[in-house]
Amino acid sequence: MKIKIKVPSDLSEITLYDYQRYMNVIDNSNDELFIAQKTVSIFCNISLKQTLQININDIYSIVEHLKDVFNSKPSLQQRISFKGHDLGFIPKLDDISLGELIDLSNSINDVQKLHIAMGVLYRPIKAKFKDMYEIEDYNADEGIMEVMKSLPLDVVFGAMLFFYHLANDLLKAIPKY
């Protein structure tokens, strides 16, 4: 029996939730074959039972392809359209509130909490003028944070790379002071 599967070709086709599920498998298993099977199951949206029908060489080929997808380096997307809403990245990090800072600090380095960080960083735009915009005030509502699990991974990785480069720039600047 042959099955058809759709293999993601871009980070925009993968959700944060699927990535969190994948990382949970990576963190909790050392079995290479099981990890490959779960990788195909999660990212191709098929059951574990269906993966048993796929040729082993095809499984490893899909896994290699997905590694290439994960190695892409997306840029920060300051404004995105998500689930019918226009969301904006925090326009001025200097104005971040204590609550935002605490939630961001407690979640940005934990893959299983990245949806919380994304809920801090991306919020509905309430006013815009040309390239400028104002976002809604921060609301630590768990329902909103759960919705952020559906964000495409290119948005998440773009934000993460932004903070990675920001931290590196700050570390380089410290010796000058």
Side-chain angles (χ1 to χ4, degrees), residues 60-73:
Y60 284 121
S61 176
I62 292 168
V63 169
E64 285 304 311
H65 167 77
L66 289 170
K67 284 180 183 177
D68 290 340
V69 170
F70 284 119
N71 284 330
S72 63
K73 296 187 179 5

Side-chain angles (χ1 to χ4, degrees), residues 28-155:
N28 293 306
S29 179
N30 293 325
D31 183 343
E32 182 183 322
L33 186 56
F34 176 72
I35 291 172
Q37 183 183 13
K38 283 295 283 185
T39 300
V40 172
S41 172
I42 290 169
F43 295 122
C44 298
N45 197 25
I46 61 174
S47 70
L48 272 178
K49 188 174 181 180
Q50 288 175 305
T51 64
L52 297 173
Q53 299 171 4
I54 301 172
N55 179 296
I56 188 65
N57 292 327
D58 292 339
I59 292 283
Y60 284 121
S61 176
I62 292 168
V63 169
E64 285 304 311
H65 167 77
L66 289 170
K67 284 180 183 177
D68 290 340
V69 170
F70 284 119
N71 284 330
S72 63
K73 296 187 179 5
S75 58
L76 175 67
Q77 297 179 43
Q78 292 195 302
R79 292 172 64 176
I80 60 171
S81 182
F82 178 67
K83 295 196 178 265
H85 299 282
D86 285 331
L87 301 180
F89 189 81
I90 292 181
K92 192 170 180 192
L93 287 172
D94 291 343
D95 293 339
I96 196 168
S97 71
L98 179 60
E100 291 168 319
L101 180 63
I102 290 170
D103 285 351
L104 188 59
S105 297
N106 290 335
S107 61
I108 195 113
N109 292 316
D110 182 349
V111 170
Q112 300 306 326
K113 294 180 181 179
L114 265 179
H115 58 285
I116 296 170
M118 294 302 112
V120 173
L121 296 173
Y122 285 98
R123 285 184 260 143
I125 295 173
K126 64 180 181 180
K128 55 187 166 185
F129 178 74
K130 296 185 181 185
D131 289 338
M132 299 184 323
Y133 57 89
E134 183 180 354
I135 57 175
E136 290 182 2
D137 291 337
Y138 178 60
N139 179 357
D141 180 354
E142 286 184 32
I144 293 169
M145 299 307 179
E146 282 299 308
V147 170
M148 297 310 260
K149 287 182 176 182
S150 298
L151 271 177
L153 216 48
D154 62 328
V155 172

Side-chain angles (χ1 to χ4, degrees), residues 5-20:
I5 62 172
K6 183 177 183 323
V7 180
S9 59
D10 189 77
L11 288 175
S12 65
E13 299 173 40
I14 300 171
T15 65
L16 173 56
Y17 176 69
D18 286 341
Y19 184 69
Q20 289 172 321

